[in-house]
Each structure stands twice: as C-alpha cells, then as structure tokens.
Amino acid sequence: MAANNRRMSGKKGAQIGSGGQRRRGLEGKGPTPPAEMRKGHKKNRIATAKAKQAQRRPVPRGRGGKGTSEMVVGRNPVVEALREGVPASTLYVQQFIDNDERVREALQLVAERGGINLMEAPRPELDRMTNGLNHQGLVLQVPPYEYAHPEDLAEAAYDEGEDPLIVALDGVTDPRNLGAVVRSASAFGGHGVVVPERRAAGMTAGAWKTSAGTAARTPVARATNLTRALEAYKKAGIVVVGLAADGEHEIGDLEALGGPVVIVVGSEGKGLSRLVGETCDFRVRIPMPGGAESLNAGVAAGIVLYEAARRRG
C-alpha cells in the first residue's frame, strides 16, 4: 500500500490508472494542417478576422457589367468546382472539421491553384453565410463574373481579321445550357455569347463547370435589351439568324452562315420571343428526320456553329 500511495502522489512520473494515455499521446495524428487552420497560430487569427470582414462587405448586385457573388456549398460540389477550374476567391473551412478525403483534396487543389484565400470559420458563421444549407464544413466563394459588352465581341473579331461568329440566347434560363453553348462556341471558333440581363441564365458556378474551362477564353456579354443589341449588330453589317422549328430556311442552305453572323437560340419550350424573332434577318430550322420536336439550346447551338465553321473553311 505504501508503494501505491507514493505512485499516486503529486510527483512526476507514471500514474496508476493512466490507461496508456501517455503512450497514445506519442502516436501520429496525421499530416499537419495549414497554418491558417491551426487554432492559436498567427495566420489563423488573421484568416478568421478576414473571414468576418469579408462577410460584412456588401455584395455586388449585377451592375456595371458584373454578376453576383455566389457560394458553392458542400464537400462534393466544392471539390468538383475546384477540379473544373471554376474561378474562386475564398475557400471557407469549418473549425475542427472532420478531415476526410474530400476535405484534403479541396485543400490540396487550393494550394496548387494559388490565388484562393483559405479561411477558417466557426460553424455558426458558415450556417449564416449559406442560409442554413448543409455545407458539410466547406464553402467556396465564386467572385462576380465580369461580363463583356455585346459590342466588344464583334470588335474583338474584327481586330483579329475575322468575321464575327456570335451566339445570342433568348429566354434560356438553365446555366448548364449556357455553359454548353460557351463550350460549343469555343470549339467552333465563336467569338462569344450574348445573354439578356434579366430572366436568363448567367455565368454561375454551374455554367462554368459545364463549359469545361472554355469560359476562361470565350467571353460572355450581357445585354440590357437583347432586341436592341441585335439591331446594333445589324447596323454594323452583321447578319442575325434565328433558330425556329418553322423557319423558312434549312441551315445547310443558308450562305449567310459563312460571313459575319449572330446565331440566336431560343428556349426549348417557347423558342424565340416575338420581338427577337421579328428582328432576325433569317429564321432557319434544323432538319430532324428522326422526328424529335425540339433540341435543347446547347445541342442546337452546337449544330449551327459547326455548319458556320464548315462554311468558313
């Protein structure tokens, strides 16, 4: 008993009932997290302060040629966005997050890409930022997209000594369709895509992902009024061709596709709006011997862009 009493005294050394805690304390705890995520580190304090400051800063509302800041929420969506090169300004990581493969990959992708802030934030802060969505401890902030002006697309083409090849979308509201059109425009030598400012898809993270990175080199312009933008193109000598199921011409017969042209694609359900349809110089149809009634905007634009590229040699 005397010996046991001595061991349980306040002196240093092994204590009865430690249960191997000292031994387990020597075991490895995995890779060391970045300084920004280590509580008490100077960089962690700076990152936390920046995160709170960023959330107090007002978000642009789509004026002056810019879109709206967007949040990608959840581990899988964040990793996929980073893999596809979606532009990002900040990756927010929840404090004391359960570190799995997706979290590690997200941190690695941010480190490899560079230029993306890494900030740690408590869960209540992330809940507030995402309006209570299931963020799973990862939130990626996508900065506002800087839209071009419709006139910029034509001017850039002429500066390169080429006839403009532009796609305009009328009433297309699915960002994935917009991304697919941007990808097709890039593949077939298009000079850009025009979308209306209202009631239309914008360059969201979903559109960026569908474009497979081509949105980085194929500009998207936003028009306050699509009809007026098309009329301005016509005054500049650019032919406006609208796709319509009841069009008077087939795309294979339209020689105008070989010159300066704007191809207008409507929504799959409603097609071209009345004013836009009346503004077009030609209304063309895509022959569909298989009997399908319509094609989505991404597929239809790709077919006509291919025909235009073929005519241009």
Side-chain angles (χ1 to χ4, degrees):
M1 291 294 294
N4 284 345
N5 288 336
R6 284 196 298 273
R7 285 187 179 182
M8 297 179 67
S9 67
K11 296 181 180 180
K12 294 181 180 180
Q15 302 294 313
I16 290 178
S18 67
Q21 292 178 12
R22 293 178 61 83
R23 183 176 66 254
R24 288 198 298 269
L26 298 175
E27 295 177 356
K29 297 183 179 180
T32 303
E36 291 87 344
M37 295 182 60
R38 297 206 295 273
K39 190 172 180 63
H41 195 283
K42 179 180 178 181
K43 288 188 176 182
N44 174 266
R45 294 194 298 271
I46 295 174
T48 302
K50 285 183 177 180
K52 292 180 180 179
Q53 183 180 5
Q55 292 311 304
R56 290 193 295 267
R57 193 175 299 133
V59 177
R61 296 295 182 184
R63 301 296 180 184
K66 286 189 176 182
T68 305
S69 180
E70 182 186 2
M71 298 289 185
V72 179
V73 175
R75 298 189 183 188
N76 285 335
V78 166
V79 170
E80 290 172 4
L82 290 170
R83 285 175 182 169
E84 294 295 338
V86 173
S89 57
T90 305
L91 174 64
Y92 294 94
V93 182
Q94 180 181 312
Q95 288 178 344
F96 315 118
I97 189 173
D98 180 21
N99 197 359
D100 66 6
E101 292 182 1
R102 294 166 297 176
V103 174
R104 289 192 291 270
E105 183 176 358
L107 295 174
Q108 182 179 355
L109 289 169
V110 166
E112 291 174 352
R113 282 178 54 174
I116 302 177
N117 296 320
L118 181 62
M119 296 187 179
E120 188 180 38
R123 177 162 187 166
E125 184 69 13
L126 295 184
D127 291 341
R128 188 187 67 79
M129 289 168 55
T130 61
N131 293 322
L133 294 177
N134 184 21
H135 51 74
Q136 299 176 304
L138 287 185
V139 178
L140 187 68
Q141 185 170 29
V142 179
Y145 180 81
E146 295 192 11
Y147 292 93
H149 189 280
E151 294 178 2
D152 297 340
L153 307 185
E155 291 175 359
Y158 287 131
D159 289 344
E160 296 174 5
E162 300 174 355
D163 287 331
L165 176 57
I166 300 167
V167 180
L169 301 182
D170 179 26
V172 175
T173 57
D174 189 339
R176 294 169 296 182
N177 266 333
L178 171 57
V181 171
V182 171
R183 187 173 184 177
S184 294
S186 178
F188 295 115
H191 298 99
V193 178
V194 180
V195 296
E197 184 175 323
R198 298 180 180 178
R199 295 185 291 276
M203 283 305 298
T204 63
W208 269 97
K209 285 170 60 179
T210 310
S211 78
T214 58
R217 57 180 181 272
T218 301
V220 175
R222 189 167 58 184
T224 304
N225 184 293
L226 183 59
T227 302
R228 286 203 294 266
L230 296 176
E231 290 173 346
Y233 280 138
K234 291 173 67 173
K235 290 179 181 178
I238 303 174
V239 177
V240 178
V241 175
L243 296 186
D246 59 348
E248 298 83 11
H249 308 273
E250 286 192 2
I251 60 169
D253 301 329
L254 192 64
E255 295 183 0
L257 289 175
V261 64
V262 177
I263 302 164
V264 188
V265 183
S267 65
E268 183 175 355
K270 298 180 180 179
L272 300 176
S273 61
R274 181 181 61 83
L275 289 177
V276 168
E278 292 174 354
T279 306
C280 295
D281 296 303
F282 299 98
R283 295 169 72 252
V284 301
R285 65 184 183 276
I286 299 173
M288 292 183 286
E293 294 183 1
S294 62
L295 299 170
N296 69 38
V299 173
I303 292 171
V304 184
L305 283 165
Y306 165 77
E307 177 62 22
R310 185 186 68 81
R311 288 182 174 272
R312 292 161 182 249

